[in-house]
Amino acid sequence: NLALKARDVVRSKLANAKEIRLQELQRGKYFRIIVYVRVDGISVERELLENELAYKYSGGKKSSWCN
């Protein structure tokens, strides 16, 4: 399952990080916390996107990505 793989990748990166940076903290549409995460200078978002463990979402109806 891709969701579990993405979770495991993020857990591993955070557990082994020398520096974790949270940038642009804000609240989203449903009052969820939205933040950009950088681990040792590398964007977690970008890494997940490049490895097809996440997809860009800018509102609207979501499509299934983790079948």
Side-chain angles (χ1 to χ4, degrees):
N1 184 318
L2 288 178
L4 296 176
K5 187 172 180 182
R7 179 201 65 190
D8 292 344
V9 166
V10 172
R11 275 186 181 171
S12 175
K13 291 207 159 298
L14 295 175
N16 297 305
K18 292 181 182 172
E19 178 184 56
I20 300 169
R21 238 176 221 214
L22 305 178
Q23 299 174 305
E24 299 183 41
L25 178 67
Q26 57 186 302
R27 291 286 182 167
K29 180 178 177 180
Y30 298 104
F31 208 62
R32 296 178 184 140
I33 295 173
I34 309 295
V35 65
Y36 290 100
V37 181
R38 295 184 76 79
V39 175
D40 298 329
I42 299 169
S43 166
V44 173
E45 171 193 21
R46 179 170 290 156
E47 190 160 331
L48 290 173
L49 288 168
E50 288 174 357
N51 290 293
E52 298 181 349
L53 296 173
Y55 69 97
K56 285 236 181 229
Y57 175 70
S58 6
K61 188 174 180 176
K62 294 192 290 185
S63 60
S64 179
W65 65 276
C66 58
N67 293 328

